[in-house]
Amino acid sequence: MAFRTSPSGPKKPFSAPTSLPAWLDDDADPKPAPRQRTRYRTVWISDIHLGTPGCNAELLLDFLKSIECDTLYLVGDIIDAWRLRKGWYWPPQHNDVVRCILKMAKRGTHVVYVPGNHDEVLRDYTGLAFGDVTVVSEAIHETADGRRLLVLHGDQFDSIVLYAKWLAFLGDSAYEFLLKANSAVNFVRRRFGLPYWSLAAHLKKRVKNAVQFISKFEEVVAHAAAERHVDGVVCGHIHSAEIRQFGDITYYNDGDWVESCTALTEHEDGRMEIIDWAEHKRSEAAGAVPKKAMSPLALVPA
């Protein structure tokens, strides 16, 4: 089942309802002075991995509180059921992320949840709406400039996940160890007043096999999108934010929130941009005021 959005259709009002449940109401909590929010038409985030020590929940929460959008796509691996099966891990910050997303939905943002392989249990509920959150197996999103984008998590194209799941679990355990090392490194950095830096992302970019896998994955996903006769594809899964052109197909990957801390956004005119929130916070810590919180190659001409 695919969920479709259209720029010509009626938009849900963004203003807050007259009343909210107490646990969702900002007025019920002590809060700092209102911060200016950046307005987007659409935002895509994925691979948050709530329920794992590697999840950068505080950075994600800071990002979500800095934006407004008509539609928020949760493109899989939002909750890491694989990790939670091994033992319960759910600090207060992870609850805050869920709470923030539900607040956005309650106030008019259409939240669309596309489950991934780590939260595949939710695939049994595709087509259903839980409050203000719709669960779908994939979606077709229409941009403001009329392009059709296929939205899916991407594990469908990962041959290891499809054909040798035990290898995927083995790799997941090794990756979990790497993320624990990443957390230790950043604990030390915080003690010295240094901003977040991803050891995992740094190593991934320098391992030849990982680079080759990412490149092949992008090609396969773009080819599948071409067969679906769409203009582009948005996915997650491989924790590598990217915008690339493959013939007539534009490939978008929104990245993750355990390594790079990135999101994909659509402006009101249909322009697409990758937001590198970790880089934005590093710039803030250095005293720089960036013109835009984005990676250098994030803008794609309409």
Side-chain angles (χ1 to χ4, degrees), residues 32-284:
R35 63 190 292 184
Q36 185 176 359
R37 294 174 183 258
T38 304
R39 174 76 179 165
Y40 297 105
R41 186 173 184 267
T42 314
V43 174
W44 291 263
I45 58 175
S46 75
D47 299 273
I48 300 172
H49 292 275
L50 293 170
T52 70
C55 170
N56 283 295
E58 291 184 7
L59 273 175
L60 175 57
L61 192 62
D62 185 66
F63 169 70
L64 291 174
K65 289 183 175 181
S66 76
I67 64 168
E68 293 179 349
C69 58
D70 294 329
T71 306
L72 173 65
Y73 285 97
L74 306 175
V75 194
D77 288 2
I78 306 304
I79 298 171
D80 196 323
W82 290 11
R83 173 60 177 79
L84 291 175
R85 289 192 194 108
K86 301 174 184 177
W88 189 255
Y89 178 86
W90 197 271
Q93 296 91 336
H94 293 202
N95 211 45
D96 292 339
V97 169
V98 175
R99 187 168 176 252
C100 184
I101 291 172
L102 291 177
K103 282 183 183 180
M104 293 175 69
K106 195 69 178 178
R107 290 177 175 146
T109 297
H110 193 173
V111 179
V112 183
Y113 195 147
V114 182
N117 51 304
H118 282 257
D119 48 13
E120 61 189 348
V121 63
L122 292 175
R123 286 174 172 166
D124 293 336
Y125 302 96
T126 54
L128 300 179
F130 295 88
D132 301 290
V133 180
T134 304
V135 182
V136 298
S137 58
E138 62 181 41
I140 298 292
H141 174 79
E142 272 195 47
T143 63
D145 53 6
R147 290 174 296 129
R148 299 172 67 249
L149 305 179
L150 174 65
V151 182
L152 40 71
H153 179 62
D155 62 293
Q156 303 93 319
F157 306 101
D158 185 338
S159 59
I160 294 178
V161 172
L162 281 176
Y163 302 115
K165 184 165 278 192
W166 70 271
L167 283 176
F169 278 103
L170 180 63
D172 185 64
S173 297
Y175 187 62
E176 183 180 328
F177 174 80
L178 180 59
L179 290 180
K180 287 180 179 178
N182 191 70
S183 297
V185 167
N186 278 284
F187 173 78
V188 174
R189 287 177 64 85
R190 284 194 300 272
R191 295 294 295 269
F192 285 93
L194 298 173
Y196 175 82
W197 175 78
S198 177
L199 171 66
H202 176 78
L203 293 177
K204 181 189 286 187
K205 290 177 182 178
R206 282 156 179 77
V207 177
K208 183 179 179 181
N209 288 343
V211 173
Q212 290 176 341
F213 170 80
I214 289 171
S215 178
K216 185 63 176 177
F217 177 87
E218 293 171 347
E219 292 176 14
V220 170
V221 173
H223 179 73
E227 291 183 337
R228 298 284 295 271
H229 305 291
V230 293
D231 301 297
V233 58
V234 179
C235 64
H237 186 55
I238 58 172
H239 296 200
S240 182
E242 186 65 88
I243 298 177
R244 290 186 64 187
Q245 197 69 31
F246 293 90
D248 296 329
I249 300 297
T250 307
Y251 166 91
Y252 302 97
N253 194 300
D254 58 23
D256 68 282
W257 289 87
V258 295
E259 297 177 33
S260 55
C261 301
T262 54
L264 178 68
T265 62
E266 178 196 359
H267 292 267
E268 295 292 347
D269 59 1
R271 289 178 300 118
M272 305 287 283
E273 178 183 5
I274 291 174
I275 304 295
D276 186 336
W277 200 246
E279 177 59 33
H280 172 73
K281 301 306 288 186
R282 284 192 291 268
S283 298
E284 277 190 347

